Amino acid sequence: MKHAYAALFCAALAAPAAAQEIKIGYALAEDSHYGAGAKAFEDSLKASLGDQFTFRHFPSSGLGGEREVLEGLQLGTVEMTIASDGTLTNFVPEVGVLGIPFLLRDKDHARKVLDGEVGQEMLARFDDAGLHALAWGEQGFRHITSNRGAVEAPADLDGLKIRTMENPVHIEAFRALGAAPTPMAWPEVIGALQQGAIDGQENPLSVIVSAKLNEVQKFLTLDGHVYSSTIILVSPSLWGGLDDAQKAAFEKAADDAVVAMRAFVDDVDQSGVEAMKAAGMQVNELTPDQKTAFREALAEPYKAYEAQFGKELMDRIQAVE
Ligand code: PAF
């Protein structure tokens, strides 16, 4: 009997600890910028920690819409996600400032803001919202697609039923531009476009291409009205169970995922317009003067944004060079 116990004890010592499974949910396909980020994260973690963690990917909203997945992280039923700032605004309202149209000038400006003090302060706020944020990923600048016609002036948005994210800042902006903004979770959007319940939507080229929006939309207007970021998040229960070396490996993996997402977005921003034209979309790009007309039409919401987020924060963002 004694021998049997000794053998069991030795076997327990020799057996490698069971790998911990990480369920990661995201809104788009594995061949999207989300998939690229998730894969880079997994590869990096494996390089640092070997087989301590295994990944189970749930792409294409396989675990539900972004809000539901984030609630899963809060509850500890899902370990990880990459989610858009539009949805995250409902968890840390200050993130909404990034959704103000035309506030972030270009990708270089946006990346500096997110990697700098303002972005890092916002990431730190997620712990109080029952989530742990690791790093800012990217989607690119959002553009309008529609079945009603090309958009060249705010008047072309008049009454347009445009799906927006569940982001009050975007809803207010489209309302001021004369559109009929229709907030909706992403998993419902393709069906709503197919059925004609909405005329259009807005998303970056990364999403337009990977979700094949050319199959349900005829017109693409490159207006770049707002930069769209994402955040790589883990559940507090996963994070709280990691030791310091594992935490460092997760942080490095998140940085590697950001590099992969940004490279994907740079690539699709170059190639996506031709791909969508070849797939039959009619594409127009706003001239600088046309863009100015949109900016001017947003003067009233800008006053409301200043009241909501504070002029100081908006000035700090604009001052980043
Ligand atoms: O439009 C959205 O809801 C988001 O951009 C998407 C497509 C879910 C990616 O986060």
Side-chain angles (χ1 to χ4, degrees):
M1 196 61 184
K2 255 191 190 158
H3 286 305
Y5 278 126
L8 255 183
F9 181 66
C10 291
L13 278 185
Q20 187 175 349
E21 183 181 82
I22 295 181
K23 290 188 287 307
I24 174 166
Y26 43 93
L28 297 161
E30 276 180 299
D31 64 359
S32 68
H33 49 306
Y34 278 75
K39 168 98 176 47
F41 190 99
E42 177 177 354
D43 290 347
S44 171
L45 204 68
K46 194 170 171 56
S48 308
L49 300 177
D51 293 331
Q52 293 180 31
F53 295 89
T54 58
F55 280 76
R56 211 162 133 209
H57 292 247
F58 292 87
S60 306
S61 309
L63 293 176
E66 289 188 330
R67 191 193 275 259
E68 284 165 273
V69 177
L70 287 160
E71 284 165 1
L73 261 73
Q74 288 177 320
L75 293 169
T77 53
V78 181
E79 286 76 30
M80 189 170 164
T81 192
I82 307 177
S84 66
D85 60 335
T87 311
L88 288 161
T89 299
N90 297 296
F91 293 79
V92 173
E94 194 175 317
V95 169
V97 74
L98 302 170
I100 297 178
F102 306 114
L103 185 69
L104 295 168
R105 295 184 290 274
D106 51 36
K107 278 189 288 192
D108 186 48
H109 179 218
R111 291 171 183 180
K112 283 186 180 141
V113 169
L114 298 177
D115 294 344
E117 261 176 35
V118 172
Q120 299 310 300
E121 283 166 16
M122 282 186 198
L123 291 186
R125 295 226 158 79
F126 279 85
D127 289 305
D128 289 338
L131 295 161
H132 185 76
L134 291 170
W136 291 97
E138 176 168 271
Q139 306 215 76
F141 274 83
R142 298 177 85 88
H143 305 294
I144 297 171
T145 66
S146 125
N147 281 331
R148 211 178 67 172
V151 175
E152 291 175 344
D156 296 322
L157 289 176
D158 201 28
L160 186 85
K161 275 189 256 151
I162 184 165
R163 177 268 175 176
T164 66
M165 292 192 283
E166 294 161 285
N167 180 340
V169 170
H170 291 186
I171 297 167
E172 192 164 352
F174 277 103
R175 197 168 287 134
L177 291 168
T182 312
M184 190 183 280
W186 174 251
E188 294 161 39
V189 175
I190 305 283
L193 287 169
Q194 266 162 348
Q195 286 155 20
I198 46 173
D199 305 308
Q201 65 85 52
E202 46 82 56
N203 250 306
L205 279 163
S206 56
V207 177
I208 295 169
V209 172
S210 55
K212 300 188 178 61
L213 287 181
N214 54 289
E215 292 177 359
V216 285
Q217 294 275 262
K218 289 196 194 75
F219 299 92
L220 163 59
T221 294
L222 301 168
D223 64 311
H225 52 278
V226 69
Y227 175 81
S228 199
S229 61
T230 64
I231 300 184
I232 302 167
L233 303 113
V234 289
S235 69
S237 55
L238 171 67
W239 186 250
L242 302 179
D243 63 30
D244 287 349
Q246 289 171 326
K247 282 183 177 165
F250 270 67
E251 274 161 357
K252 176 176 186 319
D255 290 344
D256 291 341
V258 173
V259 170
M261 289 187 90
R262 288 179 179 175
F264 190 107
V265 170
D266 284 342
D267 196 45
V268 77
D269 278 352
Q270 289 290 319
S271 63
V273 174
E274 285 315 311
M276 291 299 92
K277 279 187 186 163
M281 283 189 107
Q282 287 184 41
V283 184
N284 70 302
E285 179 165 8
L286 294 192
T287 64
D289 282 352
Q290 286 173 330
K291 264 198 180 185
T292 302
F294 281 85
R295 273 204 196 92
E296 287 174 359
L298 290 170
E300 276 309 308
Y302 253 75
K303 284 185 202 150
Y305 299 146
E306 272 185 17
Q308 186 179 350
F309 298 108
K311 188 169 174 343
E312 196 209 327
L313 177 59
M314 288 169 65
D315 286 348
R316 261 177 92 199
I317 291 173
Q318 276 169 324
V320 173
E321 293 289 347

